[in-house]
Amino acid sequence: MLVVMSHTASEADVRRVIDVIREMGYEARAIPGKQRTAIGLIGNDGKVDGSRLEGLPEVLQVIHVTQPYKQVSREWRTEPTVIELENGTRIGGDEVVLMAGPCSVESEHQIVEMARVLRDAGATVLRGGAFKPRTSPYAFQGLGVHGLELLSLARRETGLAVVTEALEPEMVETVAEHADIIQIGARNMQNYPLLRRAGRTGKPILLKRGLAATIKELLLSAEYILAEGNDKVILCERGVRGFDQHTRNLLDLTAIPVVHSLSHLPIVADPSHGTGLRAKVTPMARAAVAAGADGLLVEVHPDPDRALSDGAQSLHPYQFEELVQQVGIIAQAIGRRLAPVLQRA
Ligand code: PEP
Ligand code: MN
C-alpha cells in the first residue's frame, strides 16, 4: 500500500503516518518525490485495511498496490528509476548504455587492452566474469579474486565502470569492492540468499533473467533486492530456453516493453547469450534498442576464437564498432541517444 501525502504535509504529518503504520504491525518506507512524499507500507501478504490511514491529517490518497512485486511496480513509483554510476553513466534515462567486454577476464593484457578499445568505441561499462557459472565443472571457472583485481586495474586505466558476477553469497562483499555493478547470473536469479546479500551492499545490481523464468518471477526476484532497501536494480533480458536448436536461447524482446509497463526499473538486453552466435548479435542488438532497451550487454573479445569461454558468441572489436554505429542511429530514431564516449583517463 502507498500513502500519498498532500504537498502541504509537514515532517510531523509524515512521521505520524509512519508511526501508525508501525503500530499496525507493518514496516514503513518514506519515498520523497518532487511534488509530494509518499509512504510505502511493506511486510503485508494480502490486502491491508487502510481506513485508519485515510483519516490522518494531510493524507491525500491511499493506493493499494495490486502487484505482488510492490516496490518494483509502476504503481509504487510512476517515474522511471535512473541509476547513476561514479563515472557518470546513467542507466534508465534517455541514454542507451553500452556495457561490453569479454565473457571472462583472462589476463591483464586481455582485459586492459580490451577496455581501451571498448571505451574508444563508446562503451561506458566494462563487463568481464571473474567467477564463472559454467555448465561443466571441468570448464574454465574464471580467475577469481585475481580477475577482480584486473577489472579494478582496467577501470583505473580507462574510466570505464565495471560489471562482474557474484556467484555465491560469501563472495558478495569481495565482488562489491571491485565492481560498480554486481551481476547476478541467470542461473542464480532465484538464489534468494544471494539476492539479499547483494541487495544489502547498496550497490547497483544487474539481475539477469533465469533460463526458464517468467517476467513475473524476474520482477519478484528484483523485489528481494528492493526489500533490502536497495532500489538500484537493472534487469537484463538474456534469452530463455526455447525449443529451436538454431540459437542458444530465445531472446525475448517482448520482455522489454512488458517490463517497462509493469516496472519503473531499467532493463538492458544481452544479445550475446540471447543468441549464442556472433553473426546474430548485432541484428538482435539493433532490435533490442528499437524495442526500448535501456542498454546492451555485449560480449567482445580481442581474439574470440581463442576465448576461454563463449568465444562463438563474442564479437571481434571491429564488429562492436559497427554495432555502436548502427544502434546509435536506431536510438536517435526513437528519441534517445547513446551515452557519450568517456574521455581518455
Ligand atoms: C555472462 O554474462 O557471462 C553469463 C554467464 O550470463 P548468464 O548468467 O546470462 O548465462
Ligand atoms: Mn558468457
Side-chain angles (χ1 to χ4, degrees), residues 108-153:
E108 176 177 333
H109 184 259
Q110 175 236 25
I111 196 70
V112 174
E113 289 313 311
M114 189 75 266
R116 288 205 176 96
V117 170
L118 294 169
R119 177 203 52 205
D120 291 348
T124 60
V125 181
L126 175 67
R127 62 146 293 144
F131 297 96
K132 295 304 302 177
R134 303 306 300 281
T135 304
S136 163
Y138 307 117
F140 176 59
Q141 303 286 310
L143 296 181
V145 174
H146 181 52
L148 296 177
E149 290 163 356
L150 294 180
L151 285 166
S152 277
L153 174 66

Side-chain angles (χ1 to χ4, degrees), residues 16-172:
R16 185 171 308 117
V17 172
I18 292 175
D19 289 344
V20 171
I21 291 175
R22 290 195 180 137
E23 273 169 35
M24 289 163 69
Y26 304 109
E27 263 182 75
R29 191 157 290 159
I31 312 163
K34 279 198 199 106
Q35 304 291 330
R36 46 177 58 102
T37 295
I39 300 139
L41 180 152
I42 45 183
N44 59 310
D45 197 17
K47 201 167 174 194
V48 173
D49 178 9
S51 49
R52 206 177 144 195
L53 296 164
E54 273 160 12
L56 292 175
E58 298 292 335
V59 169
L60 192 69
Q61 200 187 5
V62 172
I63 301 171
H64 293 277
V65 178
T66 53
Q67 306 290 2
Y69 39 87
K70 294 180 187 311
Q71 300 187 59
V72 161
S73 75
R74 277 269 177 193
E75 293 166 294
W76 191 271
R77 191 185 289 162
T78 47
E79 290 303 305
T81 288
V82 181
I83 298 162
E84 185 153 357
L85 307 179
E86 270 175 31
N87 74 349
T89 300
R90 287 162 58 82
I91 306 159
D94 290 343
E95 290 172 359
V96 175
V97 174
L98 299 173
M99 309 177 179
C103 179
S104 303
V105 180
E106 298 172 4
S107 69
E108 176 177 333
H109 184 259
Q110 175 236 25
I111 196 70
V112 174
E113 289 313 311
M114 189 75 266
R116 288 205 176 96
V117 170
L118 294 169
R119 177 203 52 205
D120 291 348
T124 60
V125 181
L126 175 67
R127 62 146 293 144
F131 297 96
K132 295 304 302 177
R134 303 306 300 281
T135 304
S136 163
Y138 307 117
F140 176 59
Q141 303 286 310
L143 296 181
V145 174
H146 181 52
L148 296 177
E149 290 163 356
L150 294 180
L151 285 166
S152 277
L153 174 66
R155 175 186 27 230
R156 281 199 300 280
E157 293 288 323
T158 62
L160 290 175
V162 165
V163 57
T164 192
E165 179 161 352
L167 203 52
E168 49 190 328
E170 296 70 35
M171 291 307 287
V172 162

Side-chain angles (χ1 to χ4, degrees), residues 103 127 132-133 165 183 185-187 208 238 273 299:
C103 179
R127 62 146 293 144
K132 295 304 302 177
E165 179 161 352
Q183 177 171 326
R187 293 161 186 81
K208 299 190 91 175
R238 48 78 73 204
H273 293 87
E299 287 186 340

